[in-house]
Amino acid sequence: MTYTIKVTEIFLEQIKRLDKKSKKIIKNKIGLIKINPYRYKRIHSKKFSKIFRVRLNLGGKETRLIYVILGRTILLVCLLERKREYKDLKKYLEKI
């Protein structure tokens, strides 16, 4: 099954602020997500049934790439800093 990747405005704004090394890491992870979006850990959410996260270490900070599977579309939602303990996730998901 082939998947198409779409991104949110929040994700685009967060990517702009990153350095080249971090962008390369994210690009590689997105390639893996496109091949098999179910390979990473699922997050339990009341609003979405297929929301997942990818663990990243960007610039020494524990970060999570959050994405949602909607049919044949993979929506890249945001990058979350782990120290915030997913407190911002609900805010980002409401904007979808």
Side-chain angles (χ1 to χ4, degrees):
M1 180 183 280
T2 58
Y3 293 93
T4 57
I5 303 283
K6 292 189 179 181
V7 296
T8 61
E9 291 294 323
I10 298 164
F11 185 77
L12 288 176
E13 290 174 15
Q14 292 174 330
I15 292 291
K16 287 179 186 177
R17 292 184 246 144
L18 298 175
D19 60 348
K20 285 186 177 183
K21 184 178 179 183
S22 298
K23 288 179 183 178
K24 185 176 180 181
I25 292 169
I26 292 173
K27 184 179 178 183
N28 291 337
K29 292 293 182 180
I30 291 172
L32 293 174
I33 290 169
K34 193 170 182 178
I35 294 169
N36 181 8
Y38 296 97
R39 95 185 285 150
Y40 295 105
K41 188 172 181 179
R42 182 181 294 228
I43 297 175
H44 300 286
S45 170
K46 293 179 182 178
K47 187 172 181 178
F48 295 102
S49 62
K50 296 181 180 178
I51 183 168
F52 296 85
R53 64 123 171 116
V54 180
R55 292 179 68 179
L56 302 169
N57 189 344
L58 303 176
K61 294 181 181 179
E62 285 291 320
T63 308
R64 304 294 185 256
L65 168 62
I66 307 297
Y67 65 95
V68 178
I69 301 172
L70 303 168
R72 293 180 180 238
T73 304
I74 299 169
L75 181 63
L76 303 176
V77 179
C78 63
L79 295 172
L80 287 177
E81 285 189 30
R82 180 61 182 103
K83 70 179 182 179
R84 302 273 301 153
E85 297 177 358
Y86 296 93
K87 292 177 184 175
D88 295 335
L89 181 60
K90 184 177 179 183
K91 176 179 73 172
Y92 293 137
L93 290 176
E94 287 174 355
K95 293 181 180 181
I96 298 178

